[in-house]
Amino acid sequence: MQAVTLLSNRRFQIGTVGDVLDFTSWFLNALHTELGGTKKKSTIITETFQGTLQITTEKLEKISEDQHSTAQIKVIGATVTKIPFLFLTMDPPSMPIFKDVQERNIIPQIPMYTALAKFDGKTVTPDGELQQKKFVIAKLPRYIIVVFRRFKNNNFFVEKNRTIVTFPVKNLELRDYVLPSTSADVATKYDLLANICHEGDNHKDDSCAVNVINKATGVWYRIRDMEVEETAPQLMSVSEASVQIYEQKLPVKTEVPDTKHEDDTMQQ
């Protein structure tokens, strides 16, 4: 932690709670730089976590309107670019403003595939008044980091989004979010390795827990400060996940028997 404090110019300090997305971005890029990496020179960080995202930016134009009709928007041009990414950022839907009949706050739940729709190449993400973007994955990394934006500044205070994003522990299928020309040749299923969830009420609360799997035994553990205990995967899927790390499931290679060696033995 002292090394992090020094390298970040005290941007992240011991005893001070920071934003998980901010730290994740800084940490990965700092490791890449310290290992001698640049935008053109790769390191083990980029070889492990870096994928490619294709972004289609569409320019919009308002069609003339009158007092009897609403304004219509049409696309007047589009540009396609590809950029590298070290993690995928998703925004859970906003919490309901109103309480239920018993005056309780309603915490909604959505499946992870609903949040992943942002990267299906069809879903539109507004980018200003007269511009919108569409995202799709062009290249999948060996390990993929998923970040959920849980905190948002609403001009008065930093508000936490407690929406539950349910996710699969095994076989997360990303085929629908990858370019068709790419998905046909690569493995698109992933298994969860680690899950970081924020259990506090606000961004200054350091109530975080980490779930990690022992791949040798398949047992999941929950780590919080110095406490380590076994946990059930079912409990993780309804946690307030902030950062997740998935491992790509590569096809199992089958060994081809050495028939030539067997033939030579028989002849002898």
Side-chain angles (χ1 to χ4, degrees):
M1 288 304 300
Q2 291 178 350
V4 168
T5 301
L6 292 174
L7 287 175
S8 66
N9 294 323
R10 305 185 66 82
R11 180 177 171 185
F12 305 102
Q13 302 182 46
I14 300 174
T16 302
V17 180
D19 180 74
V20 63
L21 176 58
D22 192 21
F23 177 76
T24 302
S25 176
W26 174 86
F27 186 63
L28 292 175
N29 284 285
L31 287 176
H32 175 64
T33 302
E34 289 297 315
L35 291 171
T38 62
K39 289 185 177 180
K40 296 183 178 180
K41 183 181 178 181
S42 64
T43 64
I44 190 173
I45 300 300
T46 53
E47 292 171 358
T48 302
F49 297 108
Q50 184 172 281
T52 305
L53 202 63
Q54 178 175 293
I55 304 176
T56 302
T57 304
E58 298 177 340
K59 299 293 183 180
L60 307 176
E61 181 182 58
K62 283 186 178 181
I63 300 176
S64 58
E65 57 179 317
D66 54 41
Q67 59 181 352
H68 302 293
S69 63
T70 58
Q72 296 184 351
I73 303 294
K74 70 174 182 178
V75 178
I76 59 174
T79 57
V80 178
T81 56
K82 291 184 178 181
I83 63 170
F85 71 87
L86 289 175
F87 50 85
L88 292 179
T89 304
M90 288 180 276
D91 299 286
S94 301
M95 297 273 293
I97 299 176
F98 302 102
K99 298 182 179 181
D100 62 10
V101 292
Q102 297 180 351
E103 292 298 316
R104 296 177 303 182
N105 289 322
I106 303 172
I107 300 179
Q109 294 188 20
I110 64 165
M112 187 167 183
Y113 293 109
T114 300
L116 279 169
K118 172 183 177 181
F119 302 100
D120 62 7
K122 303 174 184 177
T123 301
V124 171
T125 301
D127 184 34
E129 184 178 2
L130 295 176
Q131 185 169 283
Q132 62 187 22
K133 293 183 177 181
K134 298 177 182 178
F135 304 91
V136 65
I137 300 172
K139 178 187 174 184
L140 286 169
R142 178 73 176 89
Y143 294 85
I144 193 166
I145 301 176
V146 176
V147 177
F148 298 100
R149 293 182 187 269
R150 291 262 171 215
F151 299 98
K152 184 178 181 181
N153 193 332
N154 63 6
N155 296 327
F156 297 99
F157 56 90
V158 179
E159 181 181 15
K160 180 180 180 181
N161 187 335
R162 307 187 72 102
T163 298
I164 302 297
V165 180
T166 58
F167 52 87
V169 176
K170 288 185 174 293
N171 297 319
L172 173 67
E173 178 59 83
L174 298 181
R175 183 175 299 276
D176 293 339
Y177 314 101
V178 183
L179 286 174
S181 58
T182 302
S183 62
D185 302 324
V186 299
T188 57
K189 289 186 177 181
Y190 285 76
D191 287 343
L192 185 67
L193 291 182
N195 174 59
I196 304 174
C197 55
H198 188 277
E199 300 175 338
D201 295 325
N202 56 68
H203 71 293
K204 294 183 179 180
D205 194 332
D206 61 351
S207 299
C208 290
V210 180
N211 303 113
V212 294
I213 187 173
N214 182 338
K215 292 187 64 177
T217 61
V219 177
W220 280 92
Y221 293 90
R222 181 179 185 272
I223 304 172
R224 182 173 179 181
D225 295 330
M226 301 297 291
E227 300 177 2
V228 180
E229 59 183 359
E230 288 190 20
T231 188
Q234 296 83 354
L235 298 177
M236 295 187 303
S237 62
V238 292
S239 63
E240 297 175 3
S242 292
V243 179
Q244 297 178 325
I245 302 177
Y246 284 87
E247 179 185 28
Q248 191 177 37
K249 294 185 68 173
L250 300 178
V252 178
K253 295 182 179 179
T254 56
E255 295 185 1
V256 179
D258 189 354
T259 56
K260 182 178 183 302
H261 178 72
E262 294 179 358
D263 293 341
D264 293 342
T265 304
M266 293 177 63
Q267 289 177 4
Q268 293 177 0

